[in-house]
Amino acid sequence: MKPWKLAEATYGIIRQYQYEVAVLPLGATEPHNLHLPYSMDTLEGDLIGEKICEAAWNQGAKVILLPTIPYGTVSNQREFPFALNVRPSTLAGVISDIIESLSYQGIRKIVLLNSHGGNELKALLRELYGQSPAALFLCNWYTVFRDCYHELFEEPDDHAGEMETSLALAFWPELVLRDSTGALAADEGWKTPTRFEAIEKGWVSITRPWHLLTTNAGVGNPHKASAEKGHRLVQLLVERLAAFLVQLSREPMDETFPFARGHNSETFRS
C-alpha cells in the first residue's frame, strides 16, 4: 500500500495520516511524432509525480499524489486525429474545483506538476491568489533541468524529441514504435520556420498550428535518445523536486509564507 498515492490508497489507509502537501499532475492527449504514444504527457505526469512523492514521503514529507488529469489544451493540434482539446478556461475551472475540495479538507499547500506546454497556468495562480486559502505552486517539470540540459542531452527537444523519447525508452519501451530494422519509426522532428524574423527570435509570439509547423507533430530529433539518458533525467528530477516537497511539507504557513523570515521592505531598503 502506498499512503502517498491516492489512486492506490484506501480510505482505511488515508484516514490514518495528516497530509500537508497535495501534488496534482497535469497531462494531455495528443500525438508525439510517429513513435511515441498519445499519452506521453500523462505518463510523464504519473511517473515523475510518483517518483518525487515516494522519495519525499520516505524523507518524512506529508505528501499525497493525486491522479493525473489526462486532458489539456491542445487546440493548436486540432488538425491531428484524436488530439483532444480542453479549453484553458475549462481546465482552469476543473483545477479550481479540485483546489477548492482540497482546501475544504484542510490541504493548504498544492503543487501543480505540469507535463504539457499548452497548459499555461500562471494566470490561474494569479486569479486564485487571495481567493483561495491554499498556497499554489506551479512546476513545469521540463524546465527544472534547463541549467544542465546539455549535460544530459545532445539535441534540443520541443516535443517528442531526444528528451521525451529517452524517458519512453527508459520506462515504457514497449510503447515506442520501431520500424522493421529496429530503428525508431520517427521522422527527424523538423520545424518549419515562419516568415517573420520577430517570431523566429522570440520578440513576437503566436499560437503555433502544428500541422503547419511540423510533419508528424514532433519538434526535435529523437534518434539520439537512450534509456540511460531517461534514467539520468528522472534521477535529477527526483533529487531536486523531492527536496522541495520535503521542505514545503515542513514549513509552517505563517504570515510571511513562502518568503524568508525576518525580511521585509525596510530590510531591502537598508
Side-chain angles (χ1 to χ4, degrees):
M1 192 67 67
K2 301 174 181 177
W4 46 267
K5 187 175 183 181
L6 183 60
E8 297 183 14
T10 67
Y11 176 50
I13 295 296
I14 292 295
R15 68 181 183 176
Q16 297 179 35
Y17 298 93
Q18 293 292 325
Y19 297 92
E20 286 285 332
V21 180
V23 176
L24 175 61
L26 301 153
T29 299
E30 62 179 4
H32 282 70
N33 206 319
L34 296 171
H35 65 299
L36 297 182
Y38 271 63
S39 60
M40 270 304 296
D41 293 346
T42 303
L43 289 170
E44 290 161 353
D46 290 341
L47 171 74
I48 295 164
E50 182 160 347
K51 294 289 187 182
I52 66 176
C53 287
E54 180 180 22
W57 180 271
N58 289 337
Q59 296 173 56
K62 299 174 181 178
V63 61
I64 189 161
L65 176 68
L66 308 182
T68 303
I69 296 177
Y71 301 107
T73 299
V74 297
S75 55
N76 54 355
Q77 289 207 28
R78 63 187 300 171
E79 299 299 327
F80 291 103
F82 296 106
L84 302 181
N85 180 57
V86 173
R87 293 183 179 91
S89 57
T90 304
L91 183 61
V94 171
I95 295 170
S96 297
D97 285 352
I98 294 172
I99 290 170
E100 182 179 357
S101 294
L102 293 168
S103 298
Y104 180 80
Q105 295 166 31
I107 304 295
R108 297 288 191 264
K109 303 168 185 174
I110 301 170
V111 178
L112 305 180
L113 181 67
N114 182 40
S115 290
H116 175 59
N119 295 336
E120 298 176 356
L121 301 171
K122 192 64 178 288
L124 176 62
L125 269 64
R126 292 192 174 105
E127 181 173 339
L128 292 180
Y129 179 77
Q131 298 182 29
S132 170
L136 306 179
F137 300 84
L138 172 61
C139 175
N140 298 312
W141 64 260
Y142 44 84
T143 68
V144 169
F145 51 97
R146 279 180 176 169
D147 61 314
C148 57
Y149 182 91
H150 290 293
E151 297 174 22
L152 298 167
F153 304 106
E154 301 173 56
E155 300 279 351
D157 186 349
D158 191 342
H159 194 247
E162 182 184 358
M163 182 271 290
E164 281 200 287
T165 303
S166 292
L167 283 176
L169 291 173
F171 296 96
W172 315 285
E174 72 281 2
L175 299 181
V176 179
L177 185 63
R178 296 181 180 275
D179 62 23
S180 59
T181 70
L184 294 177
D187 65 31
E188 304 295 324
W190 298 287
K191 182 173 69 173
T192 304
T194 69
R195 305 175 190 181
F196 302 97
E197 179 186 15
I199 294 175
E200 295 304 302
K201 292 193 173 181
W203 306 335
V204 173
S205 63
I206 60 171
T207 294
R208 301 177 297 176
W210 280 60
H211 65 293
L212 300 177
L213 175 73
T214 71
T215 51
N216 293 297
V219 177
N221 188 349
H223 292 283
K224 292 185 179 180
S226 71
E228 179 186 0
K229 293 175 181 178
H231 284 292
R232 287 170 55 200
L233 170 59
V234 169
Q235 180 180 1
L236 176 63
L237 291 171
V238 170
E239 290 172 1
R240 294 186 173 187
L241 294 179
F244 165 68
L245 293 178
V246 170
Q247 185 178 9
L248 180 60
S249 176
R250 291 174 178 170
E251 288 293 331
M253 289 188 68
D254 54 26
E255 64 278 3
T256 64
F257 181 88
F259 292 95
R261 300 182 186 88
H263 289 262
N264 54 40
S265 57
E266 295 301 322
T267 301
F268 288 116
R269 289 194 188 102
S270 61

